[in-house]
Amino acid sequence: MLTAQRDSLRLLRAILVASVVLPLGLFSYAGWLAYQTNQANAERQIEKSRDIVTEHALKTFEVVERSLAEIGEVVRDMPDDQISADEKVLHDRLKRLADGSEQIKSLWIFDRSGRTLVNSLFFPSPPGEFADRDYFAAHLNGDIGTYIGRVLEPRRPYSGAPFFGVSRRRTAADGSFDGIIQASVLPDYFDGFYAKIGRESGSYAALIRDDGAVLARVPRAAAKEVKGDGAVGQAIRDGRTEGSFTSVSRIDGIERRVSYRKLPGLPLYVFAGLETSAIRAAWLKQLGAYLLVGLPATAALIAIVLLAMTRTQKFYEEAARRQAAENALKQSQRLESLGRLTGGVAHDFNNLLMVVGGSVQKLRRRHNDLQDRRSFDMIDSAVAKGTALTRQLLSFSRRHNVAAKPLDLGEALTKFADVLRQSVRSDIAIEIETPLKPVVVLIDANEFEIALLNLALNARDAMPDGGRITIAIRTETLKNFGPRKLTGDYAVLSFADTGVGIPEDIRDRIFEPFFTTKSVDRGTGLGLSQIYGFVQQSNGAITVESELGKGSRFELYLPRSAADVVRDDAALKLPELHVPSSSTLLLVEDHPDVAAVAADYAEQCGFNVVRATSAEAAVEILNKRRDIDLVFSDIVMPGMSGLELARLIREHHAETPVVLASGYSEGTATALREGFPLLQKPYTLEALRASLAQALHREVKQA
């Protein structure tokens, strides 16, 4: 009995000691762990803010430099008196450029003496000299490229917010100094952006020249320059491209943890950071939460253990979610790289198919032998299959020209249901669940149907003994969903089967082009990659869930649209093309073999063909000749692109219609938006004839 009592007392003492020592020990360890975690989170947050500020600055100055380059191209080799004579036209153009950019306050053209020739603010430009401004004086002694000046106040009669100048030298034909082109950039634009991304207490961001001049800063400060003996000035003076440090600011006396990076090719540094007091306050706040949990006298050892288990479980769940997100991001980046590779291959493949198809058509006209015709038919069939293959590659790489329009997803699925049922065996049932109300999305109807068909064929092969396919449509409101952080209202098309499922070890590779587990004669491995490209180019996402022996479920997330559904009308029949014998077509194509095929097609259409191997050569021909009736140009060319050429023709030779061609280009969507007729490579004689007919018909109608 005594032994049992001693044991009970000893146990009670042990519990008493444990109730004091264990919470204290756990609190000390939790405080240290929270400190380490808090420091790591703060470092990641600072580096993320720095990366965002860096990307924003690079894109901003890219826009500014592109505007300066466009102005420089317009006024190249123009004497000052001609610029003054065209001041109204140039003023309107500069004003359009400035109004189209949030960061640009105004655009200017100065002569060699610093006098204003044209600006985007006033017409005519008020008299005044600006030779003493740093953005002007910097170019007097030679061509230094793009110069970024200090923050200045507007000079009368001009007013408004402070600005800093971004300027380039105007060089005369003999290489001498002929003035400058300058853009006035608003520091307030950067300050506003920094304020948006730095919503946390104690956030800091700055844009500083390599000589210490402060261009933008949040929080704002009266000082306009960083002192050279401070940590920021030391980092700039050492010339390091990036780094981190903790120091007290010489401007406002606040201690911060700061990360910085030099902008490539620019004399600028970006800084992002957090006040150490804010980092410390976050840690102390977390410690306070621990104290509120541990201080109550009623907290027993069991409660402490359960709390630790709960926190550990949450910790591992968060780690698992982060790992899944990182894996999804890596997979997305990998597919993006594959997309660029396949897009480039498809571009070259299109040109090859163009040459093969055009050459076989020419041979077909010369040879009428039956055996030759059979060979020609085989080549034509191979070209058609190659064209379909490049279409799938371009769809995966998101370089395919989609004809997106508002579409009721439920209605489109219902119309295509019969085709889906015919594509599978009779032992496979297809159940379709459509919503009661229209769900409108902005997609390419043809690409959508191809995606559904590919899913159905894959499901059929996954159910050799029969099964069931279930297709349903629902709507969801997403927030930061998936690697692409989808946010907003989305339509979700769910496609589920009861097949064999997808093994986990290959699940991450199923969207790669040419990856397939089927035999060589059963598919190319491009079906799922086409679906991936379709949803990506539709600004959506695709997910897959699968379990071996229980089937797979694909979900396509497509952004909903508020536009009205577009109904297909009967196609308008174009008039037959009748080309007068004197009609001349300017063919602009840098690939000699493709140019030969295109010229042969155009001559069969009745045109006299004039060739140009570049857009620059085409401009010279248009300026010299007045008998060009139509321009047919490739988009992707070295130097000036076909789209830029079309814009110049629209501006300076509005009476001459332009037809563009491309097999792979990120500019095709822009060309379609701007109203230029577009012909997809590889094209046939009939397709070219129809495009030329449409262009001529449109020009005659406008005239």
Side-chain angles (χ1 to χ4, degrees), residues 45-89:
Q45 179 182 342
I46 292 170
E47 290 180 357
K48 181 179 179 181
S49 298
R50 181 200 62 185
D51 294 341
I52 294 174
V53 171
T54 300
E55 187 69 17
H56 173 262
L58 288 174
K59 290 184 178 180
T60 298
F61 284 101
E62 179 184 359
V63 171
V64 174
E65 290 190 317
R66 187 162 58 242
S67 299
L68 293 179
E70 181 176 344
I71 299 171
E73 188 66 26
V74 172
V75 301
R76 177 181 293 177
D77 299 331
M78 288 179 64
D80 291 349
D81 54 352
Q82 184 179 350
I83 293 176
S84 298
D86 296 341
E87 182 181 2
K88 175 58 178 173
V89 175

Side-chain angles (χ1 to χ4, degrees), residues 631 635 642-643 646-647 650 654 656-660 667-679 691 694-696 698-699 702:
V631 177
I635 288 184
L643 179 56
R647 291 168 178 164
R650 175 177 284 179
T656 305
V658 181
V659 177
L660 298 176
T668 53
T670 304
L672 291 172
R673 284 197 303 269
E674 295 183 10
F676 293 108
L678 183 65
L679 189 58
S691 294
Q694 186 176 6
L696 289 176
R698 181 185 302 174
E699 182 63 25
Q702 291 177 350

Side-chain angles (χ1 to χ4, degrees), residues 445-467:
N446 292 330
E447 292 291 323
F448 173 67
E449 292 176 354
I450 294 174
L452 284 178
L453 186 60
N454 282 328
L455 288 172
L457 295 178
N458 282 343
R460 178 199 64 188
D461 295 339
M463 296 183 290
D465 299 326

Side-chain angles (χ1 to χ4, degrees), residues 29 94 105 140 194 222 249 259 305 326 390 426 428 448 486 510 524 541 560 622 661 694:
Y29 174 75
L94 266 58
K105 175 182 180 182
L140 292 176
Y194 296 164
S249 171
S259 180
V305 173
E326 290 177 1
T390 57
S426 58
I428 297 177
F448 173 67
L486 301 183
I510 60 174
T524 62
R560 297 183 64 182
L622 287 169
Q694 186 176 6

